[in-house]
Amino acid sequence: MANYEEALSKYNLDLNEAEIAAAVKKILTEKVPENDTLDVKKFLMGSIELTTLKTTDSDTSVMAFTQRVNEFDNTYPDLPHVATICVYPCFANVVKETLDVEGVNIACVSGSFPSSQAVIEVKIAETALAIKDGANEIDIVMPVGKFLSGDYQGVCDDISELKQTCGDCAMKVILETGDIVTPKNIKTASILAMYAGADYIKTSTGKEKISATPEAAYVMCQAIKEYYDETGIQIGFKPAGGINTVMDAVTYYTIVKEVLGEKWLTNQWFRLGTSRLANLLLSEIEGHEVKFF
């Protein structure tokens, strides 16, 4: 068997969509309310990957964006700072030169984000340049077209080569769950990505019609748990795209807590990719509307 076939053979991929929906509904109904607390919201603040991926981004706007993270550390010294600033690779050096806060990582989307439609040499070059310019985390997109056409070996080869380029830099693999749709596909993609070298698996780019959903998150977290049980390797989880409310964030926190447990409830292993959430969380923590970022 090909390596990917051997990996997949260790897991149950015959998932029942109705059972997953029922399990998620049970979590949402019974567990989410108990996590709607000030402490959880403060924790979530520290798990945010503050993201700007706009066509209109410029050196000036990204510098100002980064400077707000510097100012936040001084303005709210009792709150955790965001986990990362996430930008396009051409802005990695701008963030590096502007960022003063220790412990905030620099993440870059790479590998022909958001489509992943480029030859591997281009993806490798973009990733290597992002790291050279200051990125210490890389977000790539799984080649969804290859996955949907059944070219699992091609999917694994792409991810593996990019992980070799990343070296010690953490690599997040975006599955684009809204495009691969089914629980079986989402779990299959999760396992392939982890075996090929992902340090995190991530739901979405935020550029497609359907982004993160609780059901997709549940399947991915189950895959992470089973992979950990099988290999002893801990993989991080990052929901992203469509996280528009504080309750959305609390929902994903609760799914991680219920499926993966406390070991994943740190800002190393649980991240939230969002451009909207920081101000919303800050407003709820402070008790009045805040537009800081």
Side-chain angles (χ1 to χ4, degrees):
M1 290 194 296
N3 287 340
Y4 75 83
E5 290 176 331
E6 184 179 352
L8 292 176
S9 70
K10 298 175 181 179
Y11 300 89
N12 174 31
L13 302 174
D14 187 20
L15 305 182
N16 184 298
E17 202 159 342
E19 289 177 2
I20 290 165
V24 170
K25 184 178 180 180
K26 183 177 173 68
I27 289 173
L28 298 185
T29 304
E30 298 180 6
K31 299 296 183 179
V32 168
E34 68 189 42
N35 293 317
D36 186 13
T37 67
L38 186 62
D39 284 345
V40 168
K41 290 166 188 174
K42 288 179 179 179
F43 166 79
L44 291 170
M45 194 79 205
S47 290
I48 287 176
E49 299 207 349
L50 197 66
T51 301
T52 181
L53 298 172
K54 299 194 291 284
T55 303
T56 53
D57 286 342
S58 65
D59 285 356
T60 302
S61 70
V62 171
M63 189 181 300
F65 188 75
T66 307
Q67 190 58 41
R68 295 304 283 166
V69 174
N70 294 338
E71 292 167 8
F72 179 87
D73 211 42
N74 295 322
T75 308
Y76 298 98
D78 296 330
L79 293 179
H81 54 64
V82 297
T84 75
I85 296 173
C86 184
V87 295
Y88 283 113
C90 53
F91 300 116
N93 190 61
V94 173
V95 177
K96 180 184 176 183
E97 294 299 318
T98 308
L99 184 62
D100 294 330
V101 183
E102 289 187 17
V104 176
N105 287 327
I106 302 170
C108 282
V109 294
S110 185
S112 195
F113 177 94
S115 70
S116 194
Q117 299 289 19
V119 295
I120 190 63
E121 290 84 0
V122 170
K123 295 180 184 182
I124 288 169
E126 184 181 35
T127 301
L129 288 168
I131 293 168
K132 179 183 76 69
D133 283 350
N136 52 18
E137 296 187 4
I138 294 292
D139 292 28
I140 67 163
V141 182
M142 176 187 77
V144 175
K146 287 181 180 179
F147 178 85
L148 290 174
S149 63
D151 182 11
Y152 292 171
Q153 191 64 58
V155 170
C156 293
D157 289 347
D158 262 36
I159 294 170
S160 179
E161 289 197 54
L162 287 168
K163 179 54 189 172
Q164 289 179 50
T165 305
C166 288
D168 292 335
C169 292
M171 184 180 75
K172 309 183 199 93
V173 177
I174 303 165
L175 307 184
E176 205 66 284
T177 53
D179 287 344
I180 62 177
V181 182
T182 68
K184 180 178 180 179
N185 277 349
I186 293 168
K187 187 169 183 182
T188 300
S190 298
I191 292 163
L192 292 175
M194 290 186 286
Y195 270 95
D199 298 294
Y200 294 75
I201 52 176
K202 176 178 169 182
T203 58
S204 321
T205 61
K207 304 294 187 182
E208 297 290 275
K209 289 181 181 178
I210 301 173
S211 292
T213 66
E215 292 76 17
Y218 180 84
V219 173
M220 291 170 69
C221 287
Q222 288 281 10
I224 290 171
K225 182 178 188 300
E226 291 176 27
Y227 180 81
Y228 178 73
D229 291 343
E230 176 71 30
T231 67
I233 299 170
Q234 188 169 4
I235 302 294
F237 174 60
K238 180 181 174 181
I243 302 175
N244 297 321
T245 68
V246 171
M247 196 49 65
D248 288 339
V250 173
T251 294
Y252 290 117
Y253 170 94
T254 305
I255 290 170
V256 169
K257 182 179 179 180
E258 293 302 313
V259 178
L260 291 171
E262 297 285 342
K263 190 172 183 176
W264 270 262
L265 292 179
T266 75
N267 78 342
Q268 178 181 356
W269 299 110
F270 176 55
R271 299 283 181 75
L272 293 157
T274 178
S275 56
R276 303 178 184 90
L277 185 63
N279 283 333
L280 297 174
L281 274 171
L282 194 53
S283 297
E284 292 213 7
I285 291 166
E286 292 295 299
H288 58 88
E289 186 176 12
V290 179
K291 293 184 177 179
F292 187 89
F293 292 103

